[in-house]
Amino acid sequence: MSKITAPKIAPGEAPKTYRVKNFGCQMNVYDGERMGEMLDGQGLSAAPDGEDADLVVLNTCHIRERAAEKIYSDIGRMTKGKTQEKAPMIAVAGCVAQAEGEEIMKRAPSVSMVVGPQAYHRLPDMLEKAVKGGRAADTDMPAIAKFSELPARKRRSPTAFLTVQEGCDKFCTYCVVPYTRGAEISRPFGDLMKEARGLVETGAREITLLGQNVNAWSGPDEAGVHQGLDGLIRELAKIPELQRIRYMTSHPNDFTPGLIAAHADVDKLMPFLHLPVQAGADRVLKAMNRNHSAGGYLRLLEQMRAARPDIALSGDFIVGFPGETEAEFEETLQLVDEVRYAQAYSFKYSPRPGTPAATMDNQIPRDVMDDRLQRLQARINRDQRAFNDATVGKVCDVLIERKGKHEGQWLGKSPWLQSVWLDERSGGSAALGDMVQVEIVEAGPNSVQGVARAAAHA
Ligand code: SAH
Ligand code: SF4
Ligand code: F3S
């Protein structure tokens, strides 16, 4: 077997099918879709499920060590045991490409293209070079140039992501995002309205606005008046066929009274808030450079609940940040007890190269982190189950997002972002993109079961 040093495509022969494999956050999902649209524009088509693709784009995440290491094993799997003619052409995109582009080019000769999250609008040129047998890397960060160079949206789905804000200036001491995604920047209001209208025209009924600090979005509207995220949301809510608006991820320090008020009076803004706090002890929050206290975070949630009493809360946690004591960790547990999250994500601290926390004293042993993670997750699961239980008997709208595994079964989302299973035989009929009125009849740990009452509006 020959060592693979170039893609299977013979020089001059272009790949015909592609697959984008997304890792990491929703912003990567959005970028992955846009890369797909660009490749469509180059005459490629998405490889059908289960079939090998001629070109594989690994859209990678660098947030934790394991996420980053995955890409090398994935490359290995795709090329192992395959002759040069059988292995796919490989492009590495996303945050690992940004952080370790040069290393990837050295370590993985089978990779033809390395493209950072701010440079993927140049993918077609890179592909052209790769087709000719060359290799190309582009990890430039031209301030937000990519959006104006991407083709128009053409995906069809009842739910859509829309990146409104990119990058981060917060520099939490554990986090790679400011390095992989660059400086914080807001996309122009008019471009976002245009993209949103395009998404709605192709069938989107729910749009989730995305950004690493999405609530820091700001900019002049079409009349030149300065707006915050609430202004954008209010304008989006005027699009008649758009029925639901969500946004993530927010930072506690970027909330404005206007955005809180929007939760009280914009019906289309869903009662769900993902607001990471990371830890419950102020000393740890300070060492993390979060610039907010646990008390400040709790007061903010109180204001949110006052504006929208049924709001479902979600968060992110890191356990075992360098120096975190048992007592400090218990403050995280107390905070969870106080908030009662509808869902939350929790992670073991992972030292990331180049971040200040990676070289801090008192790195926490793995077994201590394992133990803390388990205890935290037990509480989060308890609260998630309680939240789901409390929705039993409620009647709410469910947006049908996809078919279930069984005949006549559908999966949709409640306003509180719960996954809702529906069975056609239990009453009513449904179709993709329908908003169905549903009674929640049973709760599970990760989803609920509903019975359709009537198709509310298609
Ligand atoms: N911009 C968002 C989310 C960033 S990444 C925010 O500020 O909240 C998503 C989550 O990954 C973070 O909220 C954090 O909980 C986790 N995370 C980030 N860096 C990490 C690290 N080095 N180790 C473990 N978890 C980390
Ligand atoms: Fe990372 Fe902090 Fe920025 Fe979130 S706010 S992306 S955790 S640096
Ligand atoms: Fe990962 Fe980059 Fe998102 S590091 S979490 S893919 S911004």
Side-chain angles (χ1 to χ4, degrees), residues 91-373:
V92 179
C95 292
V96 182
Q98 189 64 44
E100 295 180 7
E102 261 177 47
E103 196 187 330
I104 295 168
M105 290 299 258
K106 273 196 220 121
R107 200 170 140 181
S110 55
V111 169
S112 302
M113 291 171 269
V114 165
V115 60
Q118 307 302 2
Y120 65 76
H121 55 293
R122 298 186 190 141
L123 202 54
D125 292 344
M126 298 174 78
L127 182 61
E128 202 175 306
K129 190 170 168 196
V131 167
K132 289 183 188 138
R135 300 174 81 204
D138 192 340
T139 50
D140 270 7
M141 288 200 171
I144 213 141
K146 71 173 181 233
F147 291 105
S148 55
E149 294 187 35
L150 296 173
R153 306 304 314 267
K154 53 185 180 88
R155 66 189 301 286
R156 296 185 166 273
S157 163
T159 58
F161 288 139
L162 172 53
T163 293
V164 302
Q165 180 273 337
E166 279 237 74
C168 182
D169 293 339
K170 296 273 190 291
F171 291 93
C172 300
T173 52
Y174 50 81
C175 185
V176 291
V177 171
Y179 312 97
T180 62
R181 292 272 170 170
E184 200 168 291
I185 202 156
S186 294
R187 292 183 63 194
F189 188 96
D191 292 3
L192 295 171
M193 289 306 298
K194 189 169 160 217
E195 190 170 329
R197 286 195 195 99
L199 288 166
V200 171
E201 270 162 32
T202 57
R205 295 294 166 263
E206 173 180 301
I207 292 182
T208 302
L209 309 176
L210 298 180
Q212 269 90 14
N213 281 310
V214 69
N215 59 339
W217 182 89
S218 70
D221 65 12
E222 279 152 336
V225 179
H226 186 85
Q227 298 288 349
L229 189 67
D230 53 315
L232 181 64
I233 288 171
R234 285 174 197 277
E235 196 60 22
L236 287 167
K238 292 181 189 158
I239 302 176
E241 301 84 2
L242 180 62
Q243 296 178 14
R244 291 179 158 185
I245 302 166
R246 303 182 185 275
Y247 62 94
M248 66 172 57
T249 294
S250 299
H251 191 285
N253 291 357
D254 291 323
F255 264 100
T256 59
L259 186 52
I260 298 172
H263 277 277
D265 53 41
V266 180
D267 288 345
K268 291 182 180 180
L269 183 57
M270 290 294 102
F272 181 90
L273 175 67
H274 181 64
L275 188 61
V277 62
Q278 315 299 355
D282 287 343
R283 193 205 61 81
V284 176
L285 289 171
K286 196 157 194 297
M288 287 177 164
N289 193 31
R290 290 289 296 180
N291 278 312
H292 61 76
S293 64
Y297 175 83
L298 291 170
R299 280 191 294 280
L300 181 58
L301 295 188
E302 258 170 49
Q303 288 176 295
M304 267 299 171
R305 279 184 163 143
R308 182 77 207 227
D310 70 336
I311 200 159
L313 298 171
S314 165
D316 288 348
F317 293 91
I318 295 175
V319 301
F321 184 80
E324 183 189 64
T325 64
E326 170 63 21
E328 284 167 342
F329 168 67
E330 281 169 14
E331 288 187 59
T332 299
L333 296 179
Q334 279 159 23
L335 183 137
V336 169
D337 284 351
E338 206 158 317
V339 174
R340 302 273 163 174
Y341 289 94
Q343 57 163 74
Y345 302 90
S346 43
F347 312 99
K348 282 184 271 189
Y349 168 71
S350 173
R352 308 306 295 126
T355 60
T359 49
M360 284 180 185
D361 293 339
N362 284 322
Q363 300 281 328
I364 305 295
R366 191 148 290 274
D367 57 333
V368 175
M369 284 208 260
D370 285 337
D371 172 67
R372 289 182 187 169
L373 188 70

